[in-house]
């Protein structure tokens, strides 16, 4: 594609830019597809005497002389290739001795519009008030030193807390997941300037705002900034309230990234084929309740109470013993009578009861609370098999990670007696492979996020570490060099699929289970 390479000055920066000549903004969607609109900027502070150029074939000449080209290439546009002009900067450190000498550059990508939400193109959140790119870059340069100091302090403080709550191996896993969690999103502003945060289901099918991706990543946002979880749930709730969504259960997605124009997964908006009714309805109810607790207000539930009630009623009828439905682990195929999915439905009914209580719907709260507790008692009988609980109610000789139990523990719903968690964890410790705990008895692969949820069920730190330590070993020994996969083989350590997905934010569930830690990090100013 033809590209252009302009040069600009701002108040404090020399800026070199490159981008496509034809700015086909938000013109297509896919999964493993690179952006083709917007501009990449390389900015050098004027007060650091940087030298810059935009030229081709520079490498050999620079190695020989240490000098940049004396003139820029000005033949634009030109095809993007290795022989096209490159953006170059040299920072002269002078004679370096015992005194530290520091120089820096700024890297930025600006896209104009980031997400299409029901045919409306939305700007990145930083541009919600039409801030110019040059002003943003100057402001970033102005704040650079302060942010460096704040960032280093944040890193040190968070690392210490992660070690305290889960140990050094847990901290290492969470630190690796931190940036990947955020990077798999686009933060935009709606027409009123309110934040909307859209996740991309990377290296799966490219869906946008996938509900069973928001669900596993939620611990990260609940711990650090619940407002960003609200920004993810709001688009889904708005979509669910439209006449075009005609099902009594929650949607799976809003489209394919970056076009959030309506569900594309399974039967889309036309049929129930390959939908995830129990999965997504349960996810939404649990997350809305967790958000209400975190923010200390109930406005989202109040506004979309009709939708939440529809989903709760669906789970009341279908949730205890789900029929042949897909779950978030859809790569494993349909599983009828799925015991872990049943737990999600039971948790979700308790969440709905809690929301009803917060909205002062006392009778509704009592009915659904009793329903959830009654279903939990039935679940224990239906799932029990000797020293563990089955993968599916009708499948003897099976087992699975019951990671959905973690919300009963964190939210204090008091649905399942503690011995259920203890029984499962004791069983899991006996099923560990070299690199972790398999997802269930059907295969040797696992999911990183769910493994940490399962480990958080442990009442003993030694059991938590028993499940986490093999994951740490995998993280260091795997031969799959990809951006943190969440789906790998526990025997070989090799990636099975998925990478660079926001679901890895789920590893922060252990930190979220510590009330003191939660209170501390939510209280930190987010300016």
């Amino acid at each position: 594609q033809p590209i252009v390479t302009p040069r600009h000055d701002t108040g404090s920066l020399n800026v070199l830019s490159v981008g496509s000549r034809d700015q086909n903004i938000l013109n297509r969607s896919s999964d493993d597809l690179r952006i083709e609109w917007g501009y990449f900027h390389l900015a050098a502070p004027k007060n650091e005497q940087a030298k810059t150029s935009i030229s081709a074939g520079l490498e050999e000449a620079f190695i020989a002389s240490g000098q940049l080209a004396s003139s820029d290439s000005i033949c634009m546009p030109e095809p993007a290739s290795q022989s096209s002009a490159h953006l170059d900067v040299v920072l002269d450190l002078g004679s370096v001795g015992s005194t530290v000498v520091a120089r820096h550059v700024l890297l930025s990508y600006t896209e104009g519009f980031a997400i299409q939400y029901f045919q409306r193109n939305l700007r990145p959140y930083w541009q919600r008030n039409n801030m110019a790119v040059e002003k943003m870059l100057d402001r970033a340069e102005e704040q650079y030193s302060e942010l460096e100091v704040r960032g280093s302090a944040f890193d040190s403080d968070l690392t210490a807390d992660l070690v305290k709550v889960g140990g050094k191996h847990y901290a290492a896993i969470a630190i690796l997941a931190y940036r990947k969690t955020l990077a798999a999103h686009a933060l935009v502003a709606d027409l009123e300037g309110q934040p909307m945060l859209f996740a991309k289901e990377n290296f799966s099918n490219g869906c946008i705002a996938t509900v069973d991706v928001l669900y596993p990543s939620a611990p990260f946002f609940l711990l650090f900034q619940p407002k960003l979880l609200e920004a993810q749930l709001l688009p889904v709730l708005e979509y669910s309230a439209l006449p075009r969504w005609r099902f009594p259960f929650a949607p799976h997605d809003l489209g394919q990234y970056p076009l959030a124009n309506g569900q594309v997964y399974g039967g889309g908006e036309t049929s129930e084929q390959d939908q995830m009714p129990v999965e997504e309805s349960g996810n939404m109810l649990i997350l809305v309740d967790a958000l209400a607790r975190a923010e200390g207000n109930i406005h989202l539930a109040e506004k979309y109470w009709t939708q939440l009630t529809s989903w709760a009623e669906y789970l009341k009828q279908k949730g205890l013993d789900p029929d042949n439905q897909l779950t978030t682990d859809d790569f494993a195929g349909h599983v009828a009578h799925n015991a872990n999915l049943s737990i999600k439905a039971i948790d979700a009914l308790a969440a709905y009861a809690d929301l009803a209580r917060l909205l002062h719907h006392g009778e509704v709260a009592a009915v659904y609370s009793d329903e959830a507790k009654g279903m939990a008692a039935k679940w224990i009988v239906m799932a029990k098999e000797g020293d563990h609980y089955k993968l599916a109610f009708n499948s003897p000789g099976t087992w699975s990670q019951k990671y959905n139990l973690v919300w009963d523990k964190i939210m204090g719903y008091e649905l399942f007696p503690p011995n259920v968690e203890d029984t499962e964890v004791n069983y899991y410790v006996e099923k560990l492979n070299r690199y972790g705990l398999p997802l269930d008895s059907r295969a040797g692969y696992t999911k990183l996020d769910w493994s940490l949820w399962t480990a958080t069920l442990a009442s003993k730190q030694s059991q938590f570490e028993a499940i986490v330590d093999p994951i740490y070993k995998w993280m260091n020994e795997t031969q799959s060099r990809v951006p943190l996969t969440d789906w790998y083989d526990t025997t070989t350590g090799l990636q099975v699929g998925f990478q660079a997905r926001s679901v890895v934010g789920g590893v922060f569930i252990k930190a979220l289970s510590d009330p003191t830690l939660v209170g501390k990090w939510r209280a930190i100013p987010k300016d």
Side-chain angles (χ1 to χ4, degrees):
Q1 293 176 328
I3 60 170
V4 293
T5 49
R7 174 191 287 270
H8 306 280
D9 274 348
T10 72
S12 60
L13 302 163
N14 293 316
V15 183
L16 312 180
S17 304
V18 61
S20 299
R21 179 195 66 186
D22 305 316
Q23 290 287 304
N24 298 317
I25 296 173
L26 295 166
N27 70 319
R28 56 181 176 162
S29 67
S30 188
D31 183 9
D32 188 9
L33 180 72
R34 304 320 187 251
I35 194 172
E36 63 172 348
W37 62 89
Y39 295 91
F40 174 83
H41 310 285
L42 172 60
K46 291 179 178 179
N47 62 4
E48 293 190 353
Q49 292 76 52
K51 296 179 180 179
T52 61
S53 73
I54 303 173
S55 58
L58 176 72
E59 288 81 1
E60 291 183 4
F62 180 78
I63 291 171
S65 67
Q67 301 296 316
L68 295 178
S70 58
S71 62
D72 289 339
S73 298
I74 59 176
C75 294
M76 293 184 285
E78 60 179 340
S81 68
Q82 286 299 313
S83 61
S84 63
H86 293 174
L87 313 182
D88 310 306
V89 60
V90 168
L91 300 168
D92 190 348
L93 302 182
S95 179
V96 179
S98 59
T99 303
V100 173
V101 177
R103 299 286 187 268
H104 70 277
V105 297
L106 305 184
L107 307 179
S108 175
Y109 203 102
T110 57
E111 52 198 332
F113 293 94
I115 295 293
Q116 187 174 99
Y117 180 57
F118 296 107
Q119 282 69 52
R120 296 174 297 178
N121 291 350
L122 302 181
R123 289 195 179 277
Y125 188 71
W126 68 267
Q127 258 187 325
R128 63 194 179 281
N129 295 320
N130 296 314
M131 179 186 285
V133 173
E134 61 270 20
K135 185 175 181 180
M136 178 273 289
L137 291 172
D138 275 339
R139 182 171 294 181
E141 171 60 17
E142 179 186 345
Q143 297 175 342
Y144 177 82
S145 297
E146 176 195 351
L147 291 177
E148 278 287 287
V149 173
R150 286 176 58 186
S152 295
F154 180 96
D155 291 351
S156 298
D157 198 14
L158 177 58
T159 299
D161 281 349
L162 291 171
V163 171
K164 183 178 180 180
V165 76
K168 291 184 178 180
H169 289 177
Y170 170 69
I173 296 167
I175 289 166
L176 184 61
Y178 186 99
R179 191 175 74 87
K180 304 250 185 336
T181 304
L182 280 174
H185 295 82
L187 180 62
V188 299
D190 67 10
L191 297 183
E192 288 73 43
Q194 295 301 307
M196 283 186 165
L197 186 63
F198 290 90
K200 180 179 181 182
E201 193 172 348
N202 290 331
F203 294 89
S204 175
N205 59 4
C207 278
I208 187 170
T210 304
V211 173
D212 58 290
V213 168
L214 311 187
Y215 177 70
S217 70
F220 177 90
F221 299 100
L222 287 168
L223 176 64
F224 295 112
Q225 180 50 284
K227 185 68 176 177
L228 288 178
L229 178 58
E230 180 182 338
Q232 295 173 74
L233 297 179
L234 181 59
V236 178
L237 290 165
E238 285 189 350
Y239 176 45
S240 304
L242 295 175
R244 61 190 288 181
W245 184 255
R246 55 190 179 85
F247 302 108
F249 48 80
H252 169 273
D253 62 83
L254 267 65
Q256 188 179 52
Y257 195 94
L259 309 181
N261 293 325
Q263 179 168 306
V264 296
Y265 187 86
E269 296 179 349
T270 60
S271 79
E272 296 190 23
Q273 179 182 357
D274 287 338
Q275 299 267 22
M276 299 184 186
V278 172
E279 173 71 38
E280 309 300 20
S281 299
N283 292 339
M284 288 299 294
L285 287 167
I286 292 168
L287 292 183
V288 171
D289 188 36
L291 179 66
R293 298 266 199 102
E295 291 189 319
N297 68 65
I298 200 72
H299 69 279
L300 210 60
E302 186 173 25
K303 184 175 181 179
Y304 296 100
W305 190 244
T306 299
Q307 285 67 46
L308 300 180
T309 299
S310 174
W311 303 338
E313 185 61 29
Y314 182 89
L315 294 180
K316 185 179 177 182
Q317 297 176 18
K318 306 282 190 177
L320 175 59
D321 191 6
D323 55 18
N324 197 27
Q325 293 190 10
L326 286 171
T327 72
T328 184
D329 304 317
D330 51 355
F331 51 82
H334 292 71
V335 177
H337 316 293
N338 188 313
N340 188 47
L341 183 60
S342 176
I343 293 171
K344 178 172 291 182
I346 297 168
D347 284 344
L349 289 179
Y352 179 76
D354 190 44
L355 291 168
R357 177 185 61 80
L358 293 172
L359 286 169
H360 306 293
H361 301 324
E363 292 185 8
V364 174
V367 168
Y368 278 86
S369 178
D370 289 346
E371 184 71 24
K373 291 178 180 179
M375 288 169 65
K378 293 177 182 177
W379 184 95
I380 294 171
V381 176
M382 295 163 66
K384 183 70 172 175
E385 184 177 52
D387 58 354
H388 69 283
Y389 297 90
K390 293 174 284 189
L391 163 68
F393 298 134
N394 64 338
S395 300
T398 63
W399 63 274
S400 65
Q401 292 189 36
K402 306 301 189 301
Y403 52 81
N404 286 318
L405 279 170
V406 76
W407 292 108
D408 189 30
K409 180 175 183 177
I410 290 175
M411 300 293 285
Y413 293 140
E414 298 183 350
L415 299 169
F416 297 88
N419 68 328
V420 172
E421 296 173 5
D422 292 340
T423 296
E424 284 291 271
V425 172
N426 289 337
Y427 190 79
Y428 298 148
V429 171
E430 301 300 320
K431 294 295 181 180
L432 290 166
N433 289 333
R434 178 178 177 84
Y435 295 118
L437 177 67
L439 185 63
D440 56 50
S441 53
R442 291 173 293 175
Y445 56 64
T446 196
K447 288 282 273 90
L448 173 63
D449 43 350
W450 302 146
S451 294
L452 265 296
W453 288 35
T454 295
T456 302
L457 297 175
S459 57
K460 301 175 183 177
Q461 181 65 17
S462 60
Q463 290 181 320
F464 174 81
E465 292 178 358
I467 297 174
V468 168
D469 288 352
I471 300 173
Y472 176 80
K473 179 185 287 289
W474 161 76
M475 190 175 75
N476 285 280
E477 295 181 1
T478 178
Q479 297 179 51
S480 298
R481 295 332 225 180
V482 300
L484 193 57
T485 179
D486 55 289
W487 183 17
Y488 69 92
D489 189 280
T490 59
T491 300
T492 67
L494 297 176
Q495 175 193 25
V496 176
F498 304 155
Q499 63 194 50
R501 303 203 310 158
S502 63
V503 303
V504 297
V507 305
F508 285 88
I509 194 81
K510 178 62 173 176
L512 186 67
S513 71
D514 187 306
T516 302
L517 211 58
V518 171
K520 171 185 173 179
W521 285 96
R522 285 182 187 167
I524 294 176
K526 306 300 193 300
D527 59 321

